[in-house]
Amino acid sequence: MKAEELRAIQTPLKERYRDTPEAALVTLRARSRLSEGITCKVETGKALIAAGLHPATGGNGASACSGDMLLEALCACAGVTLNAVATALGITLRDATVEAEGDLDFRGTLGVAKDAPVGFKAIRLRFAVDTDASDERLDTLLRLTERYCVVFQTLAHAPELTVTQHVTHSA
């Protein structure tokens, strides 16, 4: 896709959102349902994924780990954002990869040590690009990718979280 094509698609959206800010508010949804053993089926909108325990918490490795899925979502979002920003800036990327890695202390998840956090202690995102763009243009590309990557910004600035419960009693 060329920058002009991207602008042609996004310009009417940007104008609409400027004129009618509430039109830009979209609620994304995800859903899962408990499955066999200690797994659940996650509806991704494109496929059904079986998620389960990581081997470090007793899983057998046959199911997707939600921690891996979080890193995969970060890589996917960062990759799409990188591509869109490069297109908008007219930067040709012959190839690019995005890698994410995160450090977990499973003592927290398993309740072994109260001082061990539950969740990632650190996440590192790494881009490898094949391009002739100058260092200055690449710095701009990286800065804008970071700024506009939804998953990155969500992790960097935790949103307000709420939990509710609906209980059904089977007879």
Side-chain angles (χ1 to χ4, degrees):
M1 179 178 287
K2 303 261 187 230
E4 303 80 37
E5 295 171 291
L6 182 61
R7 279 190 206 93
I9 293 168
Q10 291 184 340
T11 296
L13 294 170
K14 290 179 179 183
E15 289 171 359
R16 180 174 175 223
Y17 299 158
R18 279 188 198 100
D19 295 342
T20 314
E22 61 273 11
L25 301 176
V26 176
T27 301
L28 303 180
R29 290 181 172 75
R31 181 178 179 171
S32 69
R33 173 163 273 155
L34 297 187
S35 189
E36 297 176 27
I38 304 181
T39 65
C40 68
K41 300 282 185 173
V42 179
E43 298 174 17
T44 68
K46 303 294 179 197
L48 210 56
I49 297 172
L53 294 172
H54 186 278
T57 62
N60 63 12
S63 301
C65 164
S66 55
D68 289 331
M69 292 168 65
L70 179 91
L71 296 177
E72 291 161 357
L74 176 58
C75 283
C77 189
V80 169
T81 305
L82 176 78
N83 203 358
V85 172
T87 299
L89 294 176
I91 296 173
T92 300
L93 298 176
R94 288 182 293 272
D95 191 22
T97 57
V98 181
E99 296 178 5
E101 58 184 21
D103 302 325
L104 289 161
D105 182 342
F106 283 107
R107 294 176 306 150
T109 301
L110 292 175
V112 172
K114 292 186 188 259
D115 62 331
V118 176
F120 287 98
K121 293 186 337 181
I123 296 176
R124 292 168 298 282
L125 187 61
R126 184 172 36 256
F127 296 90
V129 297
D130 180 5
T131 183
D132 293 327
S134 69
D135 288 345
E136 181 181 327
R137 301 267 291 155
L138 288 174
D139 288 345
T140 299
L141 175 62
L142 186 61
R143 180 177 45 80
L144 293 177
T145 297
E146 181 180 325
R147 178 177 177 182
Y148 294 117
C149 177
V150 171
V151 175
F152 181 92
Q153 288 300 323
T154 301
L155 292 170
H157 309 283
E160 176 183 330
L161 296 173
T162 58
V163 178
T164 61
Q165 171 176 263
H166 173 77
V167 178
T168 58
H169 298 281
S170 300

